[in-house]
Amino acid sequence: CGQVKGESRWVDSRTWAWQLVRPLEPGERCEFSVRGGVTALNGDAITGKSRFEFFAAGPWPRSILPRPGGEVDEEQAFIIDGGAPIKLASAESSIWCEADGVGSRIPVRLLTEPQRKEILSHFRGDFGQAPLIVSCAERLPPGAKMKLVWGKGVEAQNGAKSEKEESFVFTVREVFRASLTCEREKAGAPCSPLSAVTVEFTAFTGTEPLRKIRIVTPEGSRSPRDLKEPGGKQERTARSVTFPGPFPPNAELTLELP
């Protein structure tokens, strides 16, 4: 197995196994041959195939974060485990983005080392020896389907190259908007002073800025209801905040966003 070491063992009286100390990197190959003169306990010689081999294909995305099929933002960064350290020039030339409504390929850009460290500090998991972190070089159109394409020619540091093109599909989130809802006697009527007022967003956002939203009434400023999970823990993200009623009747209220 080249430079990949391992250990052999007998699983039982009929099965021999070789355990690699690490997974093969792209392009690495293992070959096993049965030594001449090996016989069974009854003296029968081994017949049939005497040479076995297997290899790891060229670099390809073992994992991608965010997960394919999910939602991404307009300037999404993608964490890619290519199975081995990748030559960065080949990544820039052989990985690209495509998006509905955009007639040409969108190149990717590699994030700087400080940006890489900042992004990786927010995630746990095994992303390989040297994960690629890329983003599309252009802002993606909201609501569009987009693809991250891993093309032919992505090259590992050991010289192995990807031999086929693979696409991973995502949906770009809609434009970030906020809407206000409350109970009304009829459509177009003012909010009932007894009802709660809820501010809803088109995407999840961190609860830190959400807690800073205020409703200003003639009686003063009000904070939203505390954002907690069913178990009592503080939520980290949310899509809405609620201001419990009642409110002063016939009053004009002002919503303040940070």
Side-chain angles (χ1 to χ4, degrees):
C1 293
Q3 298 180 356
V4 187
K5 297 181 179 180
E7 293 182 352
S8 65
R9 63 188 178 92
W10 283 96
V11 178
D12 53 42
S13 61
R14 293 173 174 266
T15 309
W16 179 86
W18 179 266
Q19 179 65 52
L20 298 172
V21 296
R22 64 165 174 81
L24 293 180
E25 293 184 356
E28 289 186 321
R29 180 181 299 270
C30 277
E31 297 180 0
F32 297 91
S33 298
V34 179
R35 291 177 179 174
V38 177
T39 63
L41 292 175
N42 63 3
D44 290 344
I46 294 178
T47 59
K49 191 174 181 180
S50 62
R51 186 172 178 274
F52 307 87
E53 62 180 326
F54 60 90
F55 68 96
W60 56 276
R62 270 64 170 173
S63 65
I64 299 178
L65 199 66
R67 306 298 182 197
E71 191 174 72
V72 296
D73 68 33
E74 301 90 332
E75 297 178 330
Q76 183 68 51
F78 299 91
I79 305 174
I80 308 173
D81 175 9
I86 303 296
K87 291 184 178 180
L88 301 184
S90 75
E92 288 183 298
S93 62
S94 301
I95 302 174
W96 66 89
C97 301
E98 297 177 1
D100 290 350
V102 180
S104 58
R105 293 180 178 180
I106 304 171
V108 297
R109 63 181 181 89
L110 300 171
L111 273 62
T112 63
E113 191 58 29
Q115 291 173 320
R116 282 173 47 84
K117 290 181 178 179
E118 172 65 20
I119 290 172
L120 290 174
S121 69
H122 289 85
F123 296 97
R124 294 180 180 178
D126 182 7
F127 301 112
Q129 301 176 49
L132 282 175
I133 304 184
V134 303
S135 64
C136 305
E138 298 176 14
R139 190 177 178 87
L140 298 168
K145 292 286 186 183
M146 67 84 56
K147 294 179 182 178
L148 180 66
V149 184
W150 182 277
K152 298 178 181 179
V154 179
E155 186 175 0
Q157 291 291 350
N158 64 11
K161 295 182 179 181
S162 59
E163 299 179 352
K164 67 176 183 177
E165 183 178 300
E166 298 184 74
S167 298
F168 304 90
V169 180
F170 303 84
T171 301
V172 185
R173 69 181 184 183
E174 297 289 346
V175 175
F176 190 54
R177 294 191 179 96
S179 60
L180 186 146
T181 60
C182 61
E183 292 183 9
R184 308 171 189 267
E185 291 186 2
K186 59 181 180 180
C191 293
S192 166
L194 300 178
S195 80
V197 173
T198 299
V199 183
E200 298 179 334
F201 298 89
T202 54
F204 281 94
T205 188
T207 53
E208 182 94 16
L210 294 182
R211 293 190 180 97
K212 297 178 181 178
I213 299 175
R214 298 290 182 268
I215 279 188
V216 181
T217 76
E219 299 172 347
S221 177
R222 293 193 186 183
S223 301
R225 180 183 296 154
D226 200 15
L227 297 167
K228 289 186 177 181
E229 298 176 352
K233 293 183 178 179
Q234 294 291 330
E235 292 186 353
R236 298 180 64 181
T237 61
R239 294 187 69 160
S240 66
V241 292
T242 299
F243 296 85
F247 293 94
N250 301 317
E252 184 175 290
L253 310 181
T254 302
L255 180 67
E256 292 184 344
L257 301 177

